[in-house]
Each structure stands twice: as structure tokens, then as C-alpha cells.
Amino acid sequence: GDPLVIAGRTFRSRLFVGTGKYPDAATMQAALERSGTEMVTVAIRYMDFSDPRGGDILAHLDLSRYHLLPNTAGAYTVEDAVKMARLAREATGTNWIKLEVIGDRETLLPDLSGTLEATRILVNEGFVVLPYTTADLVTCLRLEEAGAAAVMPLASLIGSGQGLVDWTSLRRVIERVKVPVVVDAGIGSPTDAAHAMELGAAAVLINTAIAKARVPALMAEAMRWAVIAGRQGFLAGRIPRLEGASPSSPTAGVPL
Amino acid sequence: GDPLVIAGRTFRSRLFVGTGKYPDAATMQAALERSGTEMVTVAIRYMDFSDPRGGDILAHLDLSRYHLLPNTAGAYTVEDAVKMARLAREATGTNWIKLEVIGDRETLLPDLSGTLEATRILVNEGFVVLPYTTADLVTCLRLEEAGAAAVMPLASLIGSGQGLVDWTSLRRVIERVKVPVVVDAGIGSPTDAAHAMELGAAAVLINTAIAKARVPALMAEAMRWAVIAGRQGFLAGRIPRLEGASPSSPTAGVPL
Amino acid sequence: GDPLVIAGRTFRSRLFVGTGKYPDAATMQAALERSGTEMVTVAIRYMDFSDPRGGDILAHLDLSRYHLLPNTAGAYTVEDAVKMARLAREATGTNWIKLEVIGDRETLLPDLSGTLEATRILVNEGFVVLPYTTADLVTCLRLEEAGAAAVMPLASLIGSGQGLVDWTSLRRVIERVKVPVVVDAGIGSPTDAAHAMELGAAAVLINTAIAKARVPALMAEAMRWAVIAGRQGFLAGRIPRLEGASPSSPTAGVPL
Amino acid sequence: GDPLVIAGRTFRSRLFVGTGKYPDAATMQAALERSGTEMVTVAIRYMDFSDPRGGDILAHLDLSRYHLLPNTAGAYTVEDAVKMARLAREATGTNWIKLEVIGDRETLLPDLSGTLEATRILVNEGFVVLPYTTADLVTCLRLEEAGAAAVMPLASLIGSGQGLVDWTSLRRVIERVKVPVVVDAGIGSPTDAAHAMELGAAAVLINTAIAKARVPALMAEAMRWAVIAGRQGFLAGRIPRLEGASPSSPTAGVPL
């Protein structure tokens, strides 16, 4: 009753999952299964194009179940990101791309100007572009104007598990941008996933918080419920935050 | 596989629900149903003891499905709280009591010394006492020594929806107290419920955040998944919070 | 123009300083000097009563400049705290006492019931009692009723430097209690000191954040200005926090 | 002993002050005086270039005391910002410019790509450029590479008084960028000013929090001490934040 639509494709699950960092393929498969996800992202750098099945990772993914979202992780220039996207399209047949143009090797933060430029190029070439960005409102508005199918602002540094360090900026992007906003990077726990969804995010993308949890498959299921809880909470309309108390029970009328 | 046990009784759901503030009985019933709860709390002040069925609220509760937890909301002295507890036991047959001894009419914050004293009296009289308290570690330890079956620290002012304003104190209580810690009061959204559970709380008690949501039944379901998500997240072992980034994907080995 | 009055005594400085943990007496003396403080607290456990001058610490304090506030650090029972207070009065001649009744050896959090009881005893014996407490509103109101000359809620665990982890509770105490509220324990930096004062605290007490800073005397001076800044900010009336932007400059009328 | 140097010019005060929003010129003059500032910013849109003295605001500023920093508030394109900067240089003789290229009329957030482009143009024309930006690390690094004399990341939306909503990003910029980092916009109180300086900011720029305080001149002085306190605190080396308690006083050796 509440599907997510990106570029004309419908998803029932609002949890997107990454495929890096799992201890082994079986653990990854179990986590994907338990998460209920319908979209997985794979680093193009991980794909083995000499292998007709697309290399290790792709060999372990049942692409009849999961929509594939190749990503340009590791691209530090517009040129490299565009080249990776084209390679991925040729090899996998999908024109969807999670675009990353990284601007700093230490923090892996995006180069916003470069991301905007690469988005324009790839949209022009017929890609469905989901760019990784910070929660910078003006950049997100420009990405939307450039034809991005969704925007993917980070919650905090990738892999940091710090959660939504600046949720006011995320909320602002969600309120102003019309394409789906997918919160990406930094989610550390189910609470963070619920938080992003409660703010009105269309979906969240999670990798490290599942793959490096003590029990990945159980955490994947936790994230599944957290995303549903946050989405339902958003739709159900939360109570306002009050400065003072408001009793649940009558404070007069003692039956004594 | 992960039941909650309080005073020898087992609960599969870790979500306790209050019965105040609903627009009508049907809305309350639908919310309780959707929440999956197995324990509901009712203000003794709401009970109509002249009615053989226990008054309005009790008439609308299917007590074959829900374990009844009467509460002493509105008691401002040890004497009143004790008197209410005895009345409730006589009228409803249960010896469970959510003990509230309020110390301030404006904030409805508990009187910690009075709560400790009333706990001692009621435990002595054979009650199963779940006292409402702040997240004051020393008070919680003393309540446990006094025989409380659980402790119920508040997250923030009752009905305020402010969430876990001092989660470090809650976590400290959870780590040190051996009886179940049920986070009570102040939870405003599914994110807050998940947060409490992720810290290791045994359960949460929610009233206003469900009853006064725009769509109470949907919010009740949201809270159900949030509590499960938070509990599973706690059991699955979250990743550490890092200062810096940690890439999900390899940053070397370009396939270009 | 804005003096602090406690029990009839006037202080121009709103910064109280502790005397523990300094690397040596000269460093302590320099820090006290630079801080501008007029009231210093000394642990009674540190006083050497066999020494006619009151032991090491007292020998190094110029009590013509600093008002002495003995404290009962290390007392775990009402009896010990009361005994220490009497000893201190006999030895030093002052009837001022910073009352600490600790309830937990690991966190050094106060025993609120015991603190209340000891306050009643000591007020009755003519002491000027400044009890160490948590920011529990009901306890602070009861301490005031019991005759405390001020209340000293903690900002966070002693020595933790975590700052005001629950500033909403501190603000609530400040707004409701009529005696001076002195924020004690947990202040880690000038920002924290300014924060406490901006909320309307009457004064702050700082020890570890000065004594264990890399340059104690410079940090002492930083705290001096921070307390003045926070106090002036409180008196000057800060702007409201707004959700949206409000331009500093006109956005129309271009001179182009 | 700790001067701030920007583009070869030395400032003893690390508090820069804006000139908008004051109720009248006398209030502004008193606030500037009490703040101890040595650099004031004036919107070029406020300058009346038909007036040989530069219009109302400039007529009220003693430019022998304050270094003038014209700003391009209200510029929504690179072209307008550049045009304003040239106009200001012609009219006032200074080649310093606080560059603002706004990307959104509702939030007044900067257009980062446009800001970068305008910085390149103005540096090339010999301006000393201090660009207004978000705390986006990659943008700040690029601004520095482009020749910015300082970078001026916002703490929160201009005029909002929300303080440092994402201080981790600000700290990251401060740690990585070599030119002075001046925290601009969003500071609401002395606590916020101290916080920015404690993180290691070179200076702060404040307007609304002083101009719209209940008592502007007193708030200006509060900000003066807050900036000094925060700077000294940064230099003095704060204590680490600890999870647990650390007693100020000995917990053994009772003198009883």
C-alpha cells in the first residue's frame, strides 16, 4: 500500500543493502535474505569483468530477486566515475548507477561539484543516476534539476556508524527535494535507520552496520523492522515534542 | 527464543501499552491489537469500583489477552499510593502494581524517597511492584534491594515525547541493575522505542505516543516493529562508532 | 553590580574551584589566582588534623583571600558525612559544608535519600549546607525545604568532563528552586561553564577540568571568562532559536 | 601573544561583528565598542554609493578603529557577487571581501559550486577573499586551493541561533584546512561562541545574536569574553571526556 517508485520501478522494501565487508558469501546471502531487501549495490571495483558471470560478488547474487545497483566507489574524478558507469552498463546490462565522486581520501566525502558534473553527463547518456552526496540542500536541488532519479545524502562518514549527526539538514533536503531521498552512509544501528525513515526519507542504504555486526543476519532483520517502523511512524504522524509534562492518566477524581 | 520474564511470568512482547488518552474505546482496542502487546496498564483512578466489571476502561479490555498492570497515577503521597494499590488488588484480583508516587504537580516527576518507601511497604504485603522512577542509578539499585520486580525509569517527562534525553543515565541503570529495566514515559516515536531497546532495556511502556498519534493503530504497529528492531539490534551487536570513515568497498584494485 | 549571595555572604566571582588533583601546590596556587575565585572547596579527607595549620592543603591556601568550603567527599553514609562536617567545623572554624553522601562507589553518584537526611541533621546543627545532588527536581525542592543554603546538582559524572548531559533537567531545577543553584561536577571545558551560566545557574564549581588541563593556570583563566560570558549572556537575553534562516542583511535593494 | 593573521594583517580580537539588524546606530556603536572587535562586516547592499561617505552605515563606523569587511549578502549568482565586490572596492578602497553566493532564497544557504567559481575570479583580480560556505570539507579544501584568505563555514542557518548543529564537520574543516577558519552564521549565545573557539576556530563572526539580544551591548561584551575563554581553553588543552567517574578527592584515608 506504500510502494517506493524510483525511475518507474517499484520497490516494496525501503531498505537497500550493500555487499561489501561480509566475512563470506554465505553470510552475505543470509543477511540479504533476512533483510527483505529488493535492491543491492555492488562496487564496480569488485566486479571481475574477465569472468562472464561478472566475478565473485555477482556470482553470489541472485539477480532475479535483487535489483542491481552498481556503484562507482573509489572514483576520485569525474572521468573515472563516468568510465566505471559505462563499464558497469556494458558488463551487467543495467543503466542504474549509484554515482560516487570522492573528493577526499581520508574521509571519503564526496566532491559536490564533481558529482554534479558527472550526474549531468550520465543522465545525458541515459543512465538512471542516484548520486551520493552530503545533505547540502543547494547541491541536492541542483542534482534534482540535473535529472538525478534520487539523491543519496550521507548520515555521517561512511562506515563510521555515527548515525544522523546533522538530522536537521537531512530533514531540510527531504522537505525540499521532490525525487526520493535515500539516506546513505553512517547508519550504525536500527535506531538510526528508524530515525532516517521517521524524518520522511524514502529509503535507507546500509552496508557496514549489517556486514560488521556481531550477528549479521540478525542485524539485517533488525534493520528490516526498523525501516518499517520508521516509515509507519512517519505515516502515522508522531506527537509533538513538548517542553512540559502531559499526564496519561487523570490527575483528579481519586477513587479513595 | 528471547522471552521477557518478570516475577516468574513470561512475555513474548516487550512493548507495554497504556490505556489513557485514546479518543474512544474502539481506537484503543485497535491500537492494543496492532501493538502486539501482552501487558496493559490502567490508572486506578480510571477504574469504576462501583461497577462490578471494574468500570469503563476495564469493561473494554479483554483481560484474557492482556496482563493487567494497575497503576497509581495521581498519587502524591506514600499513603495514597499504598491505598490505591490495595484497592486495585481487591477489585481486580491482581497483585501487580505499577507504583507511582509523584513529587511535583507541574512536571509529574516521581518522589524518589517516597517511591522507595512505598516499594518496601508493598513488597512486604506481597505485591509485585514495578516502580516508576527517574534514571537515578542509586535509587534504582535501592529499589532493586527493596524487592522491586522491575524498575521503570522515565526517558523524559511524561507525555512530552522528548525521547531519551539522558540516555547515558538509562544505559548505566541497565548495566547495573539486575531486575528488568522497563523504560517508561517520554517515548515519542518508534526511533525512541528502538533506542531504548538497543541500549538493552528489557521492555518499554508507551501511552501518549500511540494514543495521540494522528493514526493510533498504525503508530501502535510502528512501535511493535521498533521494539523488535531495537531488541534484535541489541542482541546482534552493533558496530562501534568511529571518528573517521571506513570504506564499504575496496579503494584499490581499479578495474579500469 | 551582580553579586552572588549565599547565606548572607556576598561573592563577586561565580566560579568556585576545587583543590584536588593538581600536580603540585604552586600550580594550584597559580590556578586559583588566575581563576579569580573567592571560594575554594577542600576535601576533609585531605586535611591533616594532627597538623595545627590543618595539613598540607590548608597550609597552601591563603584563607584571607578564599572563603573555605570543606567537603565530605568519600562519605558513603549519613553518619560519616555528618561526622566529617563536625570535624571540619571544629578544625577550621567554618560552619559551611559542601555535603556529599555518595551512594555508589563506581560512579560516585549521590545517595539522594541520604543526602536529604544529612542535610536536615546538619541544618539543625547550624551548618550552612550546600548539598551535592543530581539534577532531580523533586530532591532539589526537598533540599531547599530542608534548609539547604544552595543546591549543587551535577552536570555529569565527577571528573568525566562530559559537560551538561541533561541540561533540560538542570534548567528545570534552576527555574523552580529559589536558593542559588551551583552546577557541580562534570564540567569539562569553558563551553560547559558558559552553558551552565547561560541557563541561569548562580555559579559553577570546577576542579578536574582545571587541575588536569594541559596548562592549568591558563585553563583557570579561560574558566573565569567563560563564567562571566555565560552570566552576561544570561542577563543580556539571548535570541530565540529559529527553525529557519533570518538574514542579517537586506535581501532586496541591490545597489547594482 | 596569540594574534590572528589573515592575509598579512594582524588582529588581536578574534571576534568579527556584523552591522545589520541593530535598532539604531547608537546601539550598534555601543555594541561594537563593548565587543572589542577589530573587524566589522557591512553588506554592500546597505552602502549608499550616491553618498560620498558611503551611506548610512559607513557614516556611523569609525573606520580608523575597525577593519572593514564588505560582504556580498543578497547575491544569488556568481556575476552579482563579483559585481558587488568590484563596486565595494571602488567605493571603499578595500580589496577585502566576504564572499556570499546564495543558492536558496528560503534558507540562504550558499551555492558551493558558485562560491568556488567566484572565489577563483576574485582572487585572480587581487581581492582578499573570505568565502561564506557550509562546513563541507571538500569545498573548504578547494576554496583554500583557489586562494581564499580564510574560509567561513556556517554553524547553522543564518540568524537561526541554533549554534553548532554539526560540530564534527566544523572540527574536521578546522583540522584539515590551513588558512584561518572563521565560524560564521548561526551562533546564538556565548556558549556557542566558546564552543567554536574551543574546537580551534581562528575566529567567529556574529551579528544577529548581538544585535537582537535583549541588551545588545551586554551581549557584545559576553561574546568578547566567550571568544577569549574558548580560545584560551583550546590553547590550555581540555581534559578528555571519560565514560566513568574520576574522583577529585581521595576516596581512601578517612580522617575519622
Side-chain angles (χ1 to χ4, degrees):
Chain A
D2 174 42
L4 166 64
V5 181
I6 300 180
R9 191 183 173 100
T10 298
F11 299 87
R12 277 160 307 160
S13 165
R14 290 169 179 274
L15 172 56
F16 302 163
V17 180
T19 54
K21 291 185 166 181
Y22 286 92
D24 51 57
T27 305
M28 179 187 80
Q29 286 162 341
L32 293 182
E33 169 79 30
R34 289 281 282 281
S35 75
T37 190
E38 294 171 342
M39 177 134 74
V40 298
T41 187
V42 176
I44 296 165
R45 279 177 184 264
Y46 262 139
M47 297 179 185
D48 179 359
F49 296 112
S50 61
D51 176 337
R53 292 208 47 200
D56 266 11
I57 290 257
L58 292 185
H60 292 297
L61 285 176
D62 178 353
L63 293 181
S64 66
R65 296 182 57 184
Y66 306 119
H67 186 66
L68 178 67
L69 180 64
N71 71 61
T72 67
Y76 283 92
T77 63
V78 173
E79 294 66 38
D80 275 3
V82 168
K83 216 185 291 183
M84 279 190 196
R86 290 172 185 154
L87 257 175
R89 178 159 63 175
E90 249 173 77
T92 69
T94 184
N95 64 340
W96 288 52
I97 191 78
K98 184 190 168 206
L99 174 66
E100 303 187 20
V101 182
I102 302 304
D104 178 58
R105 284 174 192 275
E106 188 177 318
T107 57
L108 302 175
L109 284 165
D111 174 337
L112 300 181
S113 302
T115 301
L116 195 46
E117 192 185 334
T119 296
R120 289 185 183 122
I121 294 170
L122 291 170
V123 166
N124 208 39
E125 296 187 7
F127 281 90
V128 173
V129 183
L130 295 85
Y132 173 62
T133 176
T134 64
D136 181 70
L137 176 64
V138 176
T139 300
C140 289
L141 290 169
R142 297 290 179 275
L143 289 168
E144 178 174 49
E145 288 162 22
V151 293
M152 302 190 68
L154 57 87
S156 48
L157 293 189
I158 189 163
S160 71
Q162 292 276 1
L164 281 65
V165 294
D166 180 9
W167 62 268
T168 61
S169 289
L170 278 172
R171 189 179 58 180
R172 202 177 292 134
V173 168
I174 289 167
E175 287 170 356
R176 296 283 305 280
V177 169
K178 288 178 196 71
V179 294
V181 175
V182 180
V183 174
D184 183 17
I187 287 180
S189 75
T191 299
D192 299 336
H195 192 186
M197 296 306 296
E198 264 188 35
L199 294 178
V204 293
L205 172 54
I206 302 176
N207 189 344
T208 305
I210 294 174
K212 305 296 279 183
R214 205 175 58 235
V215 189
L218 183 56
M219 189 58 90
E221 189 182 330
M223 292 298 186
R224 175 186 200 153
W225 305 130
V227 166
I228 290 171
R231 179 67 185 175
Q232 290 182 335
F234 173 71
L235 296 173
R238 65 159 288 157
I239 56 170
R241 287 180 182 83
L242 304 177
E243 286 280 309
S246 164
S248 301
S249 310
T251 52
V254 206
L256 303 180
Chain B
D2 175 40
L4 166 65
V5 181
I6 301 179
R9 191 184 174 97
T10 298
F11 299 87
R12 279 160 307 159
S13 166
R14 291 169 179 275
L15 172 56
F16 303 162
V17 180
T19 55
K21 291 185 168 181
Y22 285 93
D24 51 57
T27 304
M28 180 188 79
Q29 287 162 341
L32 294 181
E33 169 80 29
R34 288 282 279 283
S35 75
T37 190
E38 294 171 341
M39 177 135 74
V40 297
T41 185
V42 176
I44 295 165
R45 280 177 183 264
Y46 263 139
M47 297 177 186
D48 179 358
F49 297 112
S50 61
D51 177 337
R53 292 207 46 199
D56 267 9
I57 290 258
L58 292 184
H60 292 296
L61 285 176
D62 178 354
L63 294 182
S64 66
R65 295 182 58 182
Y66 305 120
H67 186 65
L68 178 66
L69 180 65
N71 71 62
T72 66
Y76 284 92
T77 62
V78 172
E79 294 66 37
D80 276 2
V82 167
K83 214 184 295 182
M84 280 191 197
R86 290 172 186 156
L87 257 174
R89 178 159 63 176
E90 249 173 76
T92 68
T94 184
N95 65 340
W96 287 53
I97 190 78
K98 183 188 167 208
L99 173 67
E100 302 187 23
V101 182
I102 303 304
D104 177 59
R105 285 174 190 274
E106 189 177 320
T107 57
L108 302 174
L109 284 164
D111 174 337
L112 299 181
S113 303
T115 301
L116 196 46
E117 191 184 333
T119 297
R120 288 184 184 122
I121 294 170
L122 291 170
V123 166
N124 207 39
E125 295 186 11
F127 282 89
V128 172
V129 184
L130 295 85
Y132 174 62
T133 176
T134 64
D136 182 72
L137 175 64
V138 175
T139 299
C140 289
L141 291 169
R142 298 290 180 274
L143 289 169
E144 178 175 49
E145 288 163 21
V151 293
M152 301 190 69
L154 57 89
S156 48
L157 293 189
I158 189 163
S160 71
Q162 292 277 1
L164 281 65
V165 294
D166 180 7
W167 62 267
T168 61
S169 290
L170 279 172
R171 189 179 59 180
R172 202 178 290 133
V173 168
I174 289 167
E175 287 171 357
R176 295 284 303 279
V177 169
K178 286 177 197 72
V179 293
V181 176
V182 180
V183 174
D184 184 16
I187 285 180
S189 76
T191 299
D192 299 337
H195 193 187
M197 297 306 297
E198 263 189 35
L199 294 178
V204 294
L205 171 54
I206 301 176
N207 189 346
T208 305
I210 295 174
K212 304 296 279 183
R214 206 174 58 235
V215 190
L218 184 56
M219 189 57 90
E221 188 181 331
M223 293 298 188
R224 174 185 200 157
W225 304 129
V227 166
I228 290 172
R231 180 65 185 177
Q232 289 182 336
F234 173 71
L235 296 173
R238 65 159 290 157
I239 55 170
R241 286 181 184 83
L242 304 177
E243 287 280 308
S246 164
S248 300
S249 310
T251 53
V254 206
L256 302 179
Chain C
D2 175 41
L4 166 65
V5 181
I6 300 179
R9 190 182 174 100
T10 297
F11 300 88
R12 278 160 308 160
S13 165
R14 292 170 179 272
L15 173 56
F16 303 162
V17 181
T19 54
K21 293 185 164 181
Y22 286 92
D24 51 57
T27 305
M28 180 188 79
Q29 286 163 341
L32 294 181
E33 169 80 31
R34 289 281 282 281
S35 75
T37 191
E38 294 171 343
M39 175 133 76
V40 298
T41 186
V42 176
I44 297 165
R45 279 177 182 264
Y46 264 140
M47 298 177 183
D48 179 358
F49 297 112
S50 62
D51 177 336
R53 293 211 42 203
D56 266 9
I57 291 256
L58 292 184
H60 292 295
L61 285 176
D62 178 353
L63 293 181
S64 67
R65 295 182 57 183
Y66 305 120
H67 186 65
L68 178 67
L69 180 64
N71 71 63
T72 66
Y76 284 91
T77 63
V78 172
E79 294 66 37
D80 276 3
V82 168
K83 213 184 293 182
M84 281 190 195
R86 290 173 186 154
L87 258 174
R89 178 159 62 177
E90 249 174 74
T92 69
T94 183
N95 65 340
W96 287 52
I97 191 77
K98 184 187 168 210
L99 173 65
E100 301 187 22
V101 181
I102 302 304
D104 177 60
R105 286 176 189 272
E106 189 177 320
T107 57
L108 302 174
L109 285 164
D111 173 339
L112 300 181
S113 302
T115 301
L116 196 46
E117 191 184 334
T119 297
R120 289 186 184 120
I121 294 170
L122 292 170
V123 166
N124 208 39
E125 295 186 11
F127 281 90
V128 172
V129 183
L130 296 85
Y132 173 61
T133 175
T134 64
D136 182 72
L137 175 64
V138 176
T139 300
C140 289
L141 290 169
R142 299 289 180 274
L143 289 168
E144 178 175 49
E145 287 162 23
V151 293
M152 301 190 69
L154 56 88
S156 49
L157 294 190
I158 188 164
S160 70
Q162 292 277 1
L164 282 64
V165 294
D166 180 9
W167 63 267
T168 61
S169 290
L170 279 172
R171 189 180 57 180
R172 202 177 292 134
V173 168
I174 289 166
E175 287 171 357
R176 296 283 304 280
V177 169
K178 286 177 198 71
V179 293
V181 176
V182 181
V183 174
D184 182 15
I187 286 179
S189 75
T191 299
D192 298 337
H195 193 186
M197 297 306 295
E198 263 188 36
L199 295 178
V204 295
L205 171 55
I206 301 176
N207 189 342
T208 306
I210 294 174
K212 303 296 279 185
R214 205 175 57 237
V215 190
L218 183 57
M219 188 59 88
E221 188 181 331
M223 293 297 187
R224 174 185 201 157
W225 304 130
V227 166
I228 290 171
R231 179 67 183 174
Q232 290 182 335
F234 173 72
L235 297 173
R238 64 158 290 155
I239 56 169
R241 287 179 183 85
L242 304 176
E243 286 280 310
S246 165
S248 300
S249 309
T251 52
V254 208
L256 303 179
Chain D
D2 173 42
L4 166 65
V5 180
I6 301 180
R9 191 183 173 100
T10 297
F11 300 87
R12 278 159 308 158
S13 166
R14 291 170 179 273
L15 172 57
F16 303 163
V17 180
T19 55
K21 291 185 165 178
Y22 286 92
D24 52 56
T27 305
M28 179 187 79
Q29 286 163 340
L32 294 181
E33 169 79 30
R34 289 280 281 281
S35 75
T37 190
E38 294 170 342
M39 175 134 75
V40 298
T41 186
V42 176
I44 297 165
R45 279 176 183 263
Y46 264 138
M47 298 178 185
D48 179 358
F49 297 111
S50 62
D51 177 337
R53 291 208 48 201
D56 267 11
I57 291 257
L58 293 185
H60 293 297
L61 285 176
D62 179 354
L63 294 181
S64 68
R65 295 183 57 185
Y66 305 119
H67 185 66
L68 177 66
L69 179 64
N71 70 63
T72 67
Y76 285 91
T77 62
V78 172
E79 294 67 38
D80 276 3
V82 168
K83 215 183 295 183
M84 281 190 195
R86 290 170 185 157
L87 259 175
R89 177 158 64 175
E90 250 173 75
T92 69
T94 183
N95 64 340
W96 288 52
I97 191 78
K98 183 187 168 210
L99 173 65
E100 302 188 22
V101 182
I102 302 304
D104 177 60
R105 284 174 192 274
E106 190 177 318
T107 57
L108 301 174
L109 285 164
D111 174 337
L112 300 181
S113 302
T115 301
L116 195 47
E117 192 184 332
T119 297
R120 289 184 183 122
I121 295 170
L122 292 170
V123 167
N124 208 39
E125 296 187 7
F127 282 90
V128 172
V129 184
L130 295 84
Y132 173 60
T133 177
T134 63
D136 182 72
L137 175 64
V138 175
T139 299
C140 290
L141 290 168
R142 297 290 179 276
L143 289 168
E144 177 175 48
E145 287 162 22
V151 292
M152 301 191 67
L154 56 88
S156 48
L157 292 190
I158 187 163
S160 71
Q162 292 276 0
L164 282 63
V165 294
D166 179 9
W167 62 269
T168 60
S169 290
L170 279 172
R171 188 179 58 180
R172 202 178 291 135
V173 168
I174 290 166
E175 287 170 358
R176 295 285 302 281
V177 169
K178 287 178 197 71
V179 292
V181 175
V182 181
V183 174
D184 182 16
I187 286 179
S189 75
T191 299
D192 298 338
H195 192 186
M197 297 306 296
E198 263 188 36
L199 294 178
V204 294
L205 171 55
I206 301 177
N207 188 344
T208 306
I210 294 173
K212 304 295 279 184
R214 208 175 54 235
V215 190
L218 184 56
M219 188 59 88
E221 188 181 331
M223 292 298 187
R224 175 185 199 154
W225 305 130
V227 167
I228 290 171
R231 180 67 186 174
Q232 289 182 335
F234 172 72
L235 296 173
R238 64 158 288 158
I239 55 169
R241 287 179 182 84
L242 304 177
E243 287 280 309
S246 165
S248 300
S249 309
T251 52
V254 208
L256 302 180

